Amino acid sequence: MRGDWFLSRAAHDNLKTYYAITFLLQFRYENYYAVGLKKMSRPKIIVFTTAYRPLVGGAEVAIEEITRWLAGDFDFWILTARMSRTALAREIGPDGTIIRLGFGTRFDKWLLPFFAVWHAHAIIRASDRVVLWGMDISQGTFAALVTGWHFRRLPFVMTVQYGESKERLQFGRGGWIRRAFRVMLMRADQVTAISSYLRDVIREHGYCGQIAVIPNGADTKKFQVQSLKFEDERKHKVIMTISRLTHKNGVDILIRAIVHVKKETPAVQCLIAGDGPERANLEALAEGLGVRDAVSFLGTVPHAELAGYLHSADVFVRLSRSEGMGNAFVEAMAASVPVVATAAGGIVDIVEDGVTGLFAESDNPRDAAEKIIRILCDPDFGAALAAQAHANIMRRFDWDVIAEKYKHVFREALSVEKRITIATGQENGHLDVVV
């Protein structure tokens, strides 16, 4: 007991020392920021995101692409949780200045709202043209919210990319996700959503202001580049999925569908790019169904290498149970790979059944297998779907198109006085009062 108490006491003293050093360094950093910021004239966008590279997902890719495209118009400061001791605490790149806050543990995301306010203050005090941009229903956006409470004159833009189910939003963490979401929406001056599905979810949670539906995009030039990665190995048909291995993404349904596909097309290989908490269960499922030799778990694949894998595929399949939008579909279609999906959430904004892809019934492995087999056995049909999809992606989802829409949002936020939105009792009605 004495030993445990001593260790706890020592840890407590070390923590106090850390906070003292952090507090002292804060003034040094604030002065450093202030000196540098006063020399800059462009408006500043402070991005609050729970995760950022090297952690990569749809939201993180969107931030990186948008900030790079708009680097000539705005100065971007990205405040995020560090969450890994190997991640640099501060980094400057083409996407702006990245500041990773915390101790390098998974707990950092819960500390982000506290640390972010301090760092945002140093950026804000050096400029009168600042936008607070919160990414998704997350600790990052909550940090933007807290910062907005301290600096009420600053516009607060919220982007919703939520990919979990409505049940998770409603009841997750004892209902606190729903409550936090409502508060974020109540304080937001402008809201963007990556799909019409999420626009409707926002409305359901009481927001009566204007919502801009701006999807995530794809680097179409990168995904057009052909790869010869598997050219010497093409003795079989390749089914590809890119997915975090969680229940909502339906990878278990894909593995069950492979059982039926192999009856019609024995020489088939399924490549699964991604990792997550369900990996061990999925590997056991493939083993138990006797298709382990036909399923390859690639683990986390660097985003820069995804195009090469996609160009090896005959069909891209993701059988999501819920989806805010689905960046992986956009990237597969940019690579001219025919797609099989479910009509879940925001996927319907990307895939048109029978025109740019095929829809399978949710949680129905046999129906998914029929759609996959149809594409594998009729390459001309698959090529026609892929061509229509590719044309749609080039027109609507290229990052230069998406970035221009965000430029408009940020400029409008900077040009309009801080507003109060009051519900009028009318459907979708609102009254803007300048204060």
Side-chain angles (χ1 to χ4, degrees), residues 352-368:
E352 183 179 355
D353 190 29
V355 179
T356 60
L358 293 179
F359 280 144
E361 295 176 6
S362 181
D363 284 310
N364 188 334
R366 190 177 294 276
D367 187 59

Side-chain angles (χ1 to χ4, degrees), residues 346-405:
I347 299 173
V348 296
D349 284 3
I350 309 168
V351 181
E352 183 179 355
D353 190 29
V355 179
T356 60
L358 293 179
F359 280 144
E361 295 176 6
S362 181
D363 284 310
N364 188 334
R366 190 177 294 276
D367 187 59
E370 290 176 1
K371 303 304 193 305
I372 294 169
I373 292 167
R374 184 179 179 189
I375 290 174
L376 294 181
C377 294
D378 189 349
D380 291 339
F381 174 67
L385 292 177
Q388 289 276 9
H390 184 266
N392 183 43
I393 295 302
M394 294 294 291
R395 185 175 65 255
R396 295 177 51 212
F397 294 92
D398 202 351
W399 277 119
D400 60 346
V401 176
I402 305 303
E404 281 297 316
K405 293 181 180 181

